[in-house]
Amino acid sequence: MTDNGVTWLDEELARLQEAGLYNTIRTLESPMDAWVVINGQRKLNFCANNYLGLANHPRLCEAAKAAIDRYGIGPGAVRSIAGTTALHIELEEKLAAFKKAEACITFQSGFMANLATIPALVGKDDLIISDELNHASIIDACRLSRAQVIRYRHNDVTDLRAKIAENPTNGHRLIVTDGVFSMDGDIAPLDEIVAVAEATGCLTMVDDAHGEGVLGEGGRGIVDHFHLHGRVDVEVGTMSKAFGAVGGMVAGRRTLVEWLRQRGRPFLFSSAMTAPDVAACIEATAMLQESSERVERLWSNAALLKAELQRMGFDTGLSQTPIVPVMLGEARLAQEFSRRLFAVGVFAMAIGFPTVPAGKARIRVMNSAAHSRDDLEVGLAAFEKIGRELGVIGD
Ligand SMILES: *Cc1c(COP(=O)(O)O)cnc(C)c1O
């Protein structure tokens, strides 16, 4: 091979392969659902964040088709220049009502919602106090803001309080945390964090990507879960997970939302969600308003998975949510486990460094409300078989 200037990347890729950290992305030949087709074969899908099984729901598909007939596809330009459709406004109003917030603004994704919000709120004379395990999009948004970033120990409110006390500033201060931590499934102690923020005059921001449609009454999210309506300054969410489509949102006071419409850079400089996306999200919001049945099924599925995996002898970590990590330790073991599961028809991803700390590799089991009891039994039988083969659990 000739040295084309990126040879070092080939070496880096080879290193990833060797360490069991190279991620092979599967190609799906079917919709995202409880079962998917890969290489012509049906596989039980334990990978998606499609919590409520809405990604391929007929109601969302129909809503998207009807929106195309009425509004076409593309937004044409950014909303602040070419105008915004009535559909986008409808979604924002319905989300605000669902979440019992004053107002809501949508973005192209949850990642974009973070990139828009943090730099719009704090700048180089300000301070961000951030949970050490926060999502990459929060970390990047903090960097973009040029504010000073102090990390506090994961979910440790005592350390949060200490870090605030040790870092006096005349600037604005923002405490930011994930709501549900996606790799462990634990929940931020948002009630205690809000109490600290209120006592110290800091702003609070929670990224509820994995709590949206999952936590709280009928999936209204983490603010509802802790009954903190009106007390969390910024509630970021995504419609790419439980809502089954794509898009990000920020809910909060009307003033905050107005500010983000004026100063959120991904809002001002990147085009909006497409009409079918927006219509699908409106339909998902309506379905959540109508019934909490899917949310309940998701939780009961997860409870069954956790109980059975633990009975078999697996370590399922500290999850408090439907995320079920099966802790395996070494990345190579997790990869081999995942590979063998796949061979027997179960698609469940191994997660290793840098997504989780080195030595804490795992399989992350994600069920959805679309999985039946039989589906779960199929999955559990595969875990038991491979767990024995690899000596992770006893006979
Ligand atoms: C998934 C996730 C995001 C990104 O959401 P997208 O809509 O997929 O861009 C942001 N924050 C957290 C905590 C997430 O888990």
Side-chain angles (χ1 to χ4, degrees), residues 90-339:
E90 180 186 345
L91 173 60
E92 288 168 344
E93 287 173 353
K94 291 201 160 146
L95 285 170
F98 175 65
K99 298 186 67 65
K100 302 177 185 168
E102 253 181 51
C104 180
I105 177 172
T106 56
F107 296 92
Q108 304 84 350
S109 69
F111 204 116
M112 287 292 200
N114 281 326
L115 293 191
T117 305
I118 295 178
L121 291 180
V122 286
K124 68 177 171 36
D125 298 324
D126 301 324
L127 181 68
I128 299 170
I129 313 104
S130 175
D131 187 289
E132 65 182 348
L133 294 189
N134 275 343
H135 189 261
S137 57
I138 295 179
I139 294 169
D140 289 3
C142 290
R143 286 185 185 137
L144 267 180
S145 76
R146 297 188 299 153
Q148 187 191 352
V149 182
I150 306 282
R151 303 195 322 161
Y152 64 93
R153 278 200 297 275
H154 175 53
N155 279 352
D156 184 338
V157 178
T158 305
D159 193 44
L160 168 64
R161 222 179 269 115
K163 290 291 182 338
I164 292 171
E166 287 160 16
N167 292 279
T169 168
N170 293 324
H172 301 293
R173 292 172 301 173
L174 174 70
I175 303 172
V176 59
T177 183
D178 278 22
V180 174
F181 289 82
S182 62
M183 294 302 142
D184 290 295
D186 52 340
I187 302 176
L190 194 61
D191 49 349
E192 296 172 55
I193 291 172
V194 165
V196 171
E198 287 174 347
T200 53
C202 297
L203 292 169
T204 15
M205 169 167 166
V206 64
D207 177 348
D208 200 27
H210 285 274
E212 210 73 74
V214 176
L215 290 180
E217 186 206 346
R220 282 168 177 74
I222 191 167
V223 169
D224 189 83
H225 171 83
F226 284 110
H227 307 292
L228 292 169
H229 301 284
R231 292 175 62 195
V232 175
D233 296 291
V234 185
E235 196 182 351
V236 172
T238 181
M239 291 167 282
S240 330
K241 290 173 179 151
F243 280 61
V246 72
M249 63 174 114
V250 174
R253 284 190 208 94
R254 201 168 303 285
T255 311
L256 169 79
V257 167
E258 278 305 308
W259 179 247
L260 294 177
R261 282 190 208 286
Q262 302 303 318
R263 283 292 178 270
R265 288 170 68 85
F267 184 85
L268 299 173
F269 298 103
S270 181
S271 295
M273 297 165 72
T274 70
D277 293 328
V278 176
C281 291
I282 291 173
E283 196 62 24
T285 312
M287 289 176 71
L288 280 158
Q289 289 270 21
E290 282 165 26
S291 161
S292 57
E293 193 205 321
R294 286 178 171 271
V295 178
E296 284 152 21
R297 185 138 22 95
L298 166 73
W299 282 87
S300 63
N301 278 354
L304 179 101
L305 282 174
K306 274 183 208 168
E308 286 300 301
L309 287 164
Q310 284 166 12
R311 192 188 53 75
M312 291 171 191
F314 287 105
D315 172 4
T316 62
L318 302 172
S319 176
Q320 301 168 273
T321 61
I323 295 166
V324 183
V326 175
M327 308 303 289
L328 293 167
E330 290 310 312
R332 256 180 297 198
L333 174 62
Q335 274 213 337
E336 179 61 15
F337 205 111
S338 172
R339 205 187 57 71

